[in-house]
């Protein structure tokens, strides 16, 4: 399940396991620093092995898969766009992932500008002139594709690590 | 060591001074051949600062004017990042407000300090107000349904007071009855009664519409029937006079203490085919006749029945009309003539009635009824109905069709018929 060789995705939501059963004392929450420790060490090794571009692709695809699964298994309001956004905002907040806000939503052309404040991946990082939330780009892609049935191009245009105070993502349907 | 000419330092000082004073300084200029040293590098950065500062100031000014679509400058200054964040939040709030305007009152704003609190309280109150309004609307709709159901039931009762469809079949060769209460029930009612003197046709237009009008109509028609059946009064003029008295006393409108002042207008016809005549008396309501396609009007007396001001000793005029085979008779309440409509909102009027009756006089009465109703609706258009409408039309059957032992010969005196105010037409 977790270590088989594969050429196609074998991820399933059930792989997250039963947290109540597995962690009856420590519960299902964890420090953000530990999450970042895992992500950035993983990023470090991936870049060494395959280069920045490929490492980014890995994170984007993983984020997209996570977004699709999140839409299916966590979100419950999938009717209109405002309902979907409301549900997503609430879920991201409850799970301490970030504070999602909508700056622009053109439902005709399917162009969106979304911001995430206190982003799990990057808020508080040292300012280094880089936009690092590649996983979040994929995550948003997965969510929007699941909701609209259309493919998207999602790009982070502002990031804490590049000096902004919120992460801003632009998404365009293709 | 870098040596800088004093005037360059002055320029630099002047630039910083201008920025602090709120002015827009031009970029610092160095000669093209100035050496690539630390001072030239500093000037480059100062000029970049001036440019980005200007762009930031312009951006802030547009945002202050509410222009939230202005793209932010590309710089990385901390103050610019904070204002980009502010712009993002304002745009998000705009989007939230648009959702509320579209009816989604569940929208909330988080992590924006006092604004969040105020905004969320406002939406909560809006949501509550809408919920209260919706509840009130549902309650009102239920109330309206109950009242309407009650009125529809009352319509059954009022309809039961109308003559049966075949009433006076032996007296009337052809007829129509167009009865259109404005509010399901109404103040118009008509009556058809056989009597030893012939057949009586009465049209009553009582005060008001809806339920109050219906109550008055019931009072009036039962009063009239009692006069005919129990007191054997068959003279149209006498019936009007006695109905006047009956209504006034029943409603205590012959005293000063009663709160009501209601009454009616009426028209009564006694059809006596054996005598070859029709006798008409009217309290404000006229009788119309059509012969050879020409409409004529016989006005009623200018006196209403039943009101406090109605004179108890008023003598109504009896009009006698000789019956002819080509003569058609019509009674109508003022609801038809007063109905506003057309491009200028003018009443249907006598002219409207004349047009319809003269155009359709040869047709069967069922078709005349349809034509009248269609013309009324077409005239009214988008204007709402102003009053109850009732129109009766008939032609008189030849005497041989009356029941045996029915109407009397012309020589037999019938009590209550024949009056000092008799007029022949």
């Amino acid at each position: 399940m977790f270590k088989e060789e594969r050429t196609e995705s074998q991820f399933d939501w059930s792989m997250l396991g039963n947290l109540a059963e597995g962690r009856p004392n420590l519960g299902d929450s964890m420090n953000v620093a530990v999450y970042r420790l895992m992500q950035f060490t993983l990023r470090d090794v991936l870049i060494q092995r395959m280069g920045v571009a490929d490492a980014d692709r890995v994170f984007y695809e993983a984020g997209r898969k996570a977004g699709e699964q999140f839409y299916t298994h966590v979100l419950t309001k999938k009717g209109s766009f405002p309902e979907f956004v409301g549900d997503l905002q609430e879920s991201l907040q409850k799970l301490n992932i970030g504070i999602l806000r909508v700056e622009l939503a053109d439902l005709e052309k399917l162009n969106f500008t979304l911001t995430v404040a206190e982003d799990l991946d990057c808020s508080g990082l040292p300012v280094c002139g880089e936009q690092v939330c590649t996983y979040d780009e994929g995550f948003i892609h997965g969510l929007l594709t699941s909701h609209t049935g259309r493919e998207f191009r999602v790009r982070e245009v502002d990031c804490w690590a590049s000096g902004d105070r919120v992460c801003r993502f632009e998404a365009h349907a293709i | 060591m870098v040596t800088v000419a004093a005037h360059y330092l002055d320029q630099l000082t002047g630039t910083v001074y201008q920025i602090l004073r709120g002015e827009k300084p031009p970029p610092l200029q160095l000669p093209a051949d100035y050496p690539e040293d630390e001072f030239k590098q500093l000037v480059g950065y100062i000029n970049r600062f001036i440019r980005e500062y200007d762009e930031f100031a312009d951006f802030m000014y547009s945002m202050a004017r509410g222009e939230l679509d202005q793209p932010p400058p590309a710089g990385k200054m901390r103050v610019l990042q904070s204002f980009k964040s502010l712009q993002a939040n304002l745009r998000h709030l705009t989007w939230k407000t648009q959702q509320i305007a579209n009816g989604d009152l569940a929208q909330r704003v988080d992590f924006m300090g006092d604004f969040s609190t105020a905004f969320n309280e406002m939406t909560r109150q809006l949501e509550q107000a809408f919920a209260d309004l919706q509840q009130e609307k549902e309650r009102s709709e239920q109330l309206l349904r109950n009242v309407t159901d009650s009125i529809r039931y009352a319509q059954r009762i009022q309809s039961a007071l109308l003559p049966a469809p075949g009433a006076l079949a032996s007296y009337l060769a052809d007829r129509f009855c167009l009865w259109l209460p404005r509010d399901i029930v109404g103040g118009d009612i008509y009556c058809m009664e056989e009597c030893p003197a012939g057949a009586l046709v009465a049209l009553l237009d009582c005060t008001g519409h809806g339920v109050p009008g219906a109550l008055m109509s019931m009072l009036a028609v039962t009063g009239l029937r009692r006069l005919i059946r129990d007191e054997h009064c068959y003279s149209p003029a006498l019936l009007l006079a006695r109905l006047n008295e009956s209504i006034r006393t029943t409603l205590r409108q012959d005293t000063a203490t009663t709160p009501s002042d209601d009454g009616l207008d009426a028209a009564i016809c006694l059809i006596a085919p054996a005598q070859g005549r029709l006798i008409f008396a009217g309290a404000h309501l006229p009788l119309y006749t059509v012969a050879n396609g020409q409409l004529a009007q016989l006005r009623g007396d200018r006196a209403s029945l039943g009101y406090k001001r109605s004179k108890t000793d008023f003598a109504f005029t009896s009009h006698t009309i000789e019956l002819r085979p080509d003569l058609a008779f019509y009674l109508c309440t003022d609801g038809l003539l007063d109905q506003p409509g057309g491009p200028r909102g003018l009443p249907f009027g006598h002219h409207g009635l004349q047009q319809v009756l003269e155009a359709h006089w040869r047709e069967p009465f069922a078709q005349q009824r349809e034509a009248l109703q269609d013309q009324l609706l077409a005239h009214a258009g988008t204007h709402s109905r102003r009053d109850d409408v009732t129109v009766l039309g008939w032609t008189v059957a030849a005497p041989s069709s009356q029941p045996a032992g029915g109407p009397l010969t012309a020589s037999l005196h019938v009590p209550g018929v024949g009056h000092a105010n008799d007029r022949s037409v």
Side-chain angles (χ1 to χ4, degrees), chain A residues 82 101-103 158 162-164, chain B residues 81 84 88 91-92 99 110:
Chain A
R101 295 192 174 121
V102 174
E103 257 195 51
D158 289 317
S162 64
D164 277 277
Chain B
Q81 305 312 332
K84 277 171 69 176
R91 290 174 77 175
H92 174 66
Q99 301 317 305
D110 296 313

Side-chain angles (χ1 to χ4, degrees), chain B residues 66-381:
Chain B
E67 296 164 11
L68 299 179
D69 289 337
Q70 187 84 353
K76 295 290 180 187
M77 289 195 288
R78 281 193 68 189
V79 63
L80 179 60
Q81 305 312 332
S82 296
F83 277 99
K84 277 171 69 176
S85 224
L86 176 63
Q87 185 197 44
N89 288 343
L90 288 173
R91 290 174 77 175
H92 174 66
L93 287 170
T94 304
W95 185 79
K96 281 278 184 181
T97 310
Q98 286 164 348
Q99 301 317 305
I100 291 170
N102 287 337
D104 182 1
L105 298 177
Q107 293 290 328
R108 297 292 182 268
V109 166
D110 296 313
F111 306 114
M112 285 196 195
D114 290 343
F115 188 86
S116 288
T117 311
F119 187 94
N120 293 341
E121 178 58 17
M122 180 193 74
T123 21
R124 189 197 64 76
Q125 288 192 22
L126 264 175
E127 201 176 15
Q128 185 61 48
F130 268 86
D132 291 345
L133 212 62
Q134 181 63 22
Q135 203 176 31
E136 190 54 39
K137 179 171 173 269
E138 281 163 11
R139 202 183 68 83
S140 298
E141 281 171 355
Q142 183 57 45
L143 211 62
L144 181 64
R145 271 193 295 273
N146 292 346
V147 168
T148 306
D149 287 347
S150 181
I151 293 175
R152 289 208 185 280
Y153 197 91
Q155 186 198 34
R156 289 166 55 182
I157 298 172
Q158 191 177 38
S159 297
L161 289 173
L162 296 175
L168 303 186
S170 55
Y171 288 91
L172 307 180
D174 197 1
R175 107 275 294 278
F176 74 77
C177 304
L178 180 63
W179 183 64
L180 302 173
R182 194 189 76 168
D183 300 326
I184 305 174
V185 295
D188 283 3
I189 199 159
Y190 60 94
C191 173
M192 292 180 177
E193 295 281 323
E194 282 195 43
C195 66
L200 283 159
V201 176
L203 178 59
L204 312 178
D205 180 356
C206 303
T207 325
H209 340 97
V211 169
L215 287 174
M216 273 303 299
S217 75
M218 290 179 66
L219 189 65
V221 82
T222 48
L224 182 65
R225 284 199 178 123
R226 184 183 53 77
L227 290 170
I228 296 168
R229 293 177 186 175
D230 299 340
E231 297 187 21
H232 311 293
C233 181
Y234 311 129
S235 158
L238 267 179
L239 280 169
L240 290 178
R242 293 172 73 171
L243 189 59
N244 177 36
E245 186 190 337
S246 170
I247 298 293
R248 290 185 85 246
T249 52
T250 303
L251 294 178
R252 291 186 289 115
Q253 285 173 180
D254 55 350
T255 68
T257 54
T258 184
S260 74
D261 188 12
D262 295 289
L264 65 151
D265 295 335
I268 304 181
C269 294
L270 171 65
I271 303 166
Q275 295 165 351
R277 60 181 184 172
L278 177 145
I279 302 169
F280 159 75
H284 274 299
L285 296 188
L287 172 69
Y288 296 95
T289 56
V290 172
N292 296 318
Q294 300 281 321
L295 179 77
Q297 180 185 5
L298 194 51
R299 292 182 190 277
D301 291 308
R302 293 177 61 146
S304 298
L305 308 179
Y307 295 95
K308 283 179 179 173
R309 64 183 181 272
S310 301
K311 291 181 185 165
T312 49
D313 58 353
F314 188 88
F316 288 90
T317 310
S318 271
H319 304 270
T320 304
I321 302 164
E322 295 241 346
L323 294 174
R324 301 195 315 262
D326 63 339
L327 201 54
F329 300 92
Y330 302 88
L331 295 174
C332 78
T333 57
D334 57 8
L336 174 70
L337 305 185
D338 291 347
Q339 176 60 41
R344 289 186 291 169
L346 296 174
F348 190 81
H350 175 91
H351 180 67
L353 179 65
Q354 183 177 16
Q355 272 193 319
V356 177
L357 293 182
E358 287 183 357
H360 297 272
W361 69 283
R362 290 180 195 272
E363 292 169 14
F365 274 65
Q367 288 178 16
Q368 290 190 33
R369 179 190 187 283
E370 213 174 291
L372 205 47
Q373 188 167 9
D374 289 346
Q375 190 55 30
L376 172 65
L377 288 173
H379 171 77

